[in-house]
């Protein structure tokens, strides 16, 4: 084989490998995040409050419930099912990367043997930031509200004035 042919084959192989890698990465990260309904958001918030209250008497069970609740909220927002934890983490990393360590921490605490109460408390505090970000309407969700649900702008910004002649 000539050197030119070998180089051409290597370049083609590299292009194929990079192309497949990009395709897989884009496919894994494609998530259609959907907004939560007001009632759904309220239900999740009430459950989170109950989890925090339960922490006082049963920290281990509360951390496990927080882990499950984060997975459920993520699924409700359109992310992969919590049973596929790694896929869910990958998808969440697109829009919620700064809170993924919190999710990992609470997930690890829920599955470890006997973490200390202070370590579980820290995991719960960290996880709350992700929870709040997931239940909060995104800017995109707020922009899709009906005109009647949008905030009222005072003054001339929202009034129609007939042309004066």
């Amino acid at each position: 084989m000539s050197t030119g042919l070998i180089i051409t084959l290597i370049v083609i192989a590299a292009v194929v490998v990079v192309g497949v890698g990009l395709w897989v990465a884009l496919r894994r990260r494609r998530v259609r995040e959907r907004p939560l309904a007001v009632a759904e958001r309220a239900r999740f918030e009430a459950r989170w409050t109950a989890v925090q209250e339960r922490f006082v008497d049963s920290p281990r069970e509360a951390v496990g419930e927080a882990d499950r609740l984060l997975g459920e909220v993520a699924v409700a927002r359109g992310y992969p099912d919590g049973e596929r934890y790694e896929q869910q983490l990958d998808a969440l990393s697109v829009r919620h990367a700064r809170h993924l360590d919190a999710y990992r921490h609470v997930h690890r605490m829920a599955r470890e043997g006997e973490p200390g109460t202070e370590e579980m408390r820290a995991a719960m505090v960290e996880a709350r930031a992700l929870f709040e970000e997931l239940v909060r309407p995104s800017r995109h969700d707020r922009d899709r509200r009906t005109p009647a649900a949008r905030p009222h702008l005072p003054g001339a910004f929202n009034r129609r004035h007939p042309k004066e002649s």
Side-chain angles (χ1 to χ4, degrees):
M1 282 188 154
S2 71
T3 305
L5 182 60
I6 292 173
I7 291 173
T8 302
L9 291 174
I10 290 172
V11 168
I12 290 171
V15 167
V16 168
V17 168
V18 168
V20 169
L22 286 172
W23 179 76
V24 168
L26 290 173
R27 187 168 173 224
R28 288 174 69 185
R29 293 186 181 261
R30 192 178 319 155
V31 173
R32 306 192 89 179
E33 191 174 54
R34 73 167 192 82
L36 295 176
V38 174
E40 195 174 25
R41 180 176 294 111
R43 237 183 357 267
F44 283 132
E45 288 172 340
R47 285 181 60 196
W48 186 266
T49 300
V51 166
Q52 290 182 134
E53 291 170 355
R54 185 174 186 195
F55 186 85
V56 174
D57 294 324
S58 303
R60 182 140 175 79
E61 288 79 16
V63 168
E65 180 60 24
D67 179 45
R68 285 186 296 279
L69 184 54
L70 285 171
E72 288 176 35
V73 174
V75 168
R77 290 299 306 261
Y79 291 95
D81 189 309
E83 294 297 317
R84 299 179 308 224
Y85 174 71
E86 292 300 325
Q87 288 178 340
Q88 194 174 57
L89 276 178
D90 286 344
L92 284 166
S93 72
V94 175
R95 290 199 175 108
H96 307 285
R98 69 177 181 256
H99 296 299
L100 282 190
D101 285 339
Y103 191 21
R104 286 184 187 105
H105 193 193
V106 80
H107 189 75
R108 188 176 64 249
M109 292 294 102
R111 280 150 181 67
E112 278 189 3
E114 289 298 320
T117 303
E118 184 55 31
E119 195 173 3
M120 287 188 288
R121 187 198 66 75
M124 289 286 293
V125 169
E126 293 169 5
R128 181 181 178 94
L130 175 60
F131 174 81
E132 288 174 347
E133 193 168 283
L134 285 171
V135 296
R136 180 182 327 128
S138 69
R139 188 178 79 241
H140 180 69
D141 297 341
R142 289 188 296 267
D143 292 344
R144 290 189 309 193
R145 292 181 295 192
T146 61
R150 290 190 186 127
H152 174 72
L153 297 175
F157 292 113
N158 65 349
R159 282 193 218 129
R160 292 195 145 166
H161 296 285
K163 283 189 168 183
E164 295 182 16
S165 25

